[in-house]
Every structure is written in C-alpha cells, then in structure tokens.
Amino acid sequence: MNAANHFDIKTPETAGRLAINASPTRLLGLLVSGVLLGTMAMSANAGSLISSTDYLNYTLPKNLQEQCVEKDNCPEIEVKYLQTNHDWINDITNARINHLVVNSKPTESAPIKTISSQAEVTAAIDDFAKSQLRDMPEGRSWAYSLTVTPDYLGHINDVELFEINTYVFTGGAHGMPYSEYLMFDLSSKKHIQLNDMLQSGQKARFKALAYDAYKTWVKTVDDDISSYEKNWPFTLSDNVTLTDKGINIRYQHYSIGPYAYGMPVLSIPYSKLDGVIKPRFLPK
C-alpha cells in the first residue's frame, strides 16, 4: 500500500476501498495490491472467536504527497489493526500496534507504560515519510517501508493466539523485521505471558529446557556450540506462544545469532513441560 492511499478503520465495510493519488506509472500496480490487501480475512475457532484486520485511517500530508509523487517514489506504509468480537483483545493488541509504530526500537514483549494516542501515531508516520524525502540520496529508486500487521494463529484450549509482525526499511543492506506473540485467556479475559503459565518455582527449569533447545538449534547452524555461544550467548526470551506440539520461543534478529540466521524459534515439547507449566495450558 502506498502512503498516499486512504483506508478507514472505523467502518469495516470500507476495508477494501481504495483512493489513489499517485503518478500514472504506479496506478495499475497500486490498484491491484489495494484490492488484494483490502480483502478482510475472517477466521473462527471452537471458542467462537472471529478475527479480521482493518487498515489504519491515514493519509499522507498533501505537501509530502506532492513531493513523493513528483519523484514517483512514495514511502510504502501499511498499518493494520485487529478486529475481533472481543473488544478487550482488540484494545490490548491495537495499543501494542500503536506502540510499535511510535517507537522505532521495540524490545521483546516490552510492557506498554503509556498508551500512544492516534495523534502520536499519525505524527510518527508523518516523520517516517518526511525522513525518506529528507535523507534519501538523489537518484535512488528504493522507498522507505513500514508494515505492521496482526495475524491470528489459532487457539489452545481457551487461549487465543496472535502474532504482530512488523517490517521497517530505511535503506542499507536490508530492512528490519520484528515479530511478537500475544496470548489471550478467554476464561480470565487476560493477556497472559510466560510467567502466567509457569508453575510456582519452575522458571529455572523452563530456562534449562530453553537452553537445551538453544543448543539443539545451534547445531543446525554451527558445529562448535561452545565457540558459537561465546559470540551469541543464550538468553531467555519471554516472547513465547503455545502450539499444538509445545511452546515456541521467538527471538528477534541479532538476539542469539547474526542477521543472516533470521528470527530463530526454539521449541519445547509438551512432553517435557509436564509439571513445569500449569495443567490448564496443556492441550486437552
């Protein structure tokens, strides 16, 4: 989606509606991508959760539109919000999305201490667009890119599982992806994290299991675990989610490996988690 496009998050029926303000050479491609991206994806599960996404209501300021359209090179901005039939899930997830848009250097599962207003979100995106026009060297054809999208992963028992994926590109060799899990317990109506799932006194045991999973993963990228660990030591991330097989722990780029190794996922099977996590989080 081009930053000059406009979508209204307030009314789901307008999710596929597209307004174009771009040069003719980009018009066809934007129309095609707008129709595809504007389609609302619905999903339901045994817990009767209905999930979709809708675009942020944002329009690039007129003066910025004129500059980037003249250069035929507008920043690519796509921010989506979560729309489910559970308002409390929407509120928590979309507050996190706003936080990620406003803060350029998120940390794994960092708590939200202040809620970002829509004015702050708009200002942050405006600044992002301005920075391309200000910082991009003359003659460069690449565009800045900002994407934030929530995805529904399914559910385990009464826990609904989501993931927020972001991508920021401002030039250089590559962009910077970021991925964060969110888990919501429908029975308690709470956002749950790793500590909420662990039985009392079992954090050390869980960390030991995660370290074993780390060593297993290292073997896939390096023959010398000891040498690798000196450069990329193990740390326990609380960016976790339940799966049908166990618990996955997601790491960001550069957390436990170089950029080329992506965002590693360490997996701990349920067979090793009996007595470590609370029984209600084990698949029934």
Side-chain angles (χ1 to χ4, degrees):
M1 185 182 72
N2 187 274
N5 299 344
H6 178 277
F7 295 88
D8 188 357
I9 190 175
K10 304 301 182 183
T11 52
E13 66 270 15
T14 64
R17 189 166 56 208
L18 180 65
I20 297 291
N21 185 356
S23 59
T25 57
R26 295 186 58 138
L27 183 59
L28 180 59
L30 288 171
L31 283 170
V32 172
S33 64
V35 172
L36 293 175
L37 292 170
T39 303
M40 295 182 68
M42 307 296 289
S43 57
N45 62 30
S48 299
L49 181 138
I50 301 174
S51 176
S52 68
T53 59
D54 208 353
Y55 289 99
L56 165 70
N57 181 8
Y58 173 81
T59 301
L60 195 67
K62 185 177 180 180
N63 65 318
L64 297 181
Q65 287 189 40
E66 292 173 348
Q67 292 180 61
C68 70
V69 169
E70 181 181 353
K71 295 181 178 181
D72 194 19
N73 193 23
C74 291
E76 298 171 355
I77 298 171
E78 179 182 300
V79 177
K80 293 182 183 179
Y81 287 124
L82 183 67
Q83 299 287 342
T84 75
N85 54 333
H86 294 274
D87 289 341
W88 64 277
I89 292 179
N90 299 338
D91 291 343
I92 294 172
T93 304
N94 294 335
R96 187 63 185 164
I97 290 171
N98 284 344
H99 182 83
L100 292 170
V101 172
V102 171
N103 295 275
S104 60
K105 295 181 179 179
T107 57
E108 293 184 12
S109 304
I112 301 174
K113 296 181 179 179
T114 58
I115 301 298
S116 299
S117 68
Q118 287 304 130
E120 290 173 318
V121 171
T122 299
I125 297 176
D126 287 350
D127 287 344
F128 181 82
K130 289 177 185 176
S131 66
Q132 171 179 316
L133 299 175
R134 181 183 65 244
D135 301 336
M136 181 183 292
E138 289 295 330
R140 294 294 178 91
S141 59
W142 44 261
Y144 278 19
S145 178
L146 170 64
T147 303
V148 186
T149 305
D151 294 306
Y152 177 59
L153 302 181
H155 69 115
I156 298 294
N157 301 339
D158 290 329
V159 181
E160 299 292 352
L161 310 169
F162 293 85
E163 184 176 18
I164 300 176
N165 289 293
T166 77
Y167 179 79
V168 177
F169 177 73
T170 57
H174 52 70
M176 182 57 68
Y178 175 84
S179 177
E180 180 176 301
Y181 293 128
L182 294 175
M183 299 181 291
F184 299 102
D185 187 349
L186 292 185
S187 60
S188 63
K189 291 189 176 181
K190 290 183 179 180
H191 171 211
I192 60 172
Q193 295 178 297
L194 175 60
N195 286 338
D196 301 312
M197 296 192 296
L198 295 175
Q199 296 203 42
S200 178
Q202 291 300 309
K203 184 67 172 284
R205 176 58 182 158
F206 184 87
K207 185 174 182 179
L209 292 171
Y211 179 57
D212 289 341
Y214 162 83
K215 290 186 290 186
T216 298
W217 171 78
V218 170
K219 291 178 183 178
T220 67
V221 296
D222 198 302
D223 295 330
D224 189 339
I225 296 177
S226 177
S227 175
Y228 182 91
E229 190 170 6
K230 290 179 181 178
N231 295 315
W232 300 98
F234 168 76
T235 59
L236 179 61
S237 169
D238 63 355
N239 189 19
V240 304
T241 191
L242 297 167
T243 74
D244 59 339
K245 295 180 175 62
I247 288 181
N248 279 357
I249 310 171
R250 166 80 74 180
Y251 288 83
Q252 309 306 330
H253 285 283
Y254 300 117
S255 294
I256 57 172
Y259 183 91
Y261 292 173
M263 294 185 286
V265 174
L266 309 182
S267 299
I268 305 175
Y270 286 118
S271 59
K272 295 182 179 181
L273 291 169
D274 189 20
V276 178
I277 64 173
K278 297 171 183 177
R280 67 190 186 90
F281 296 112
L282 295 170
K284 297 176 181 177

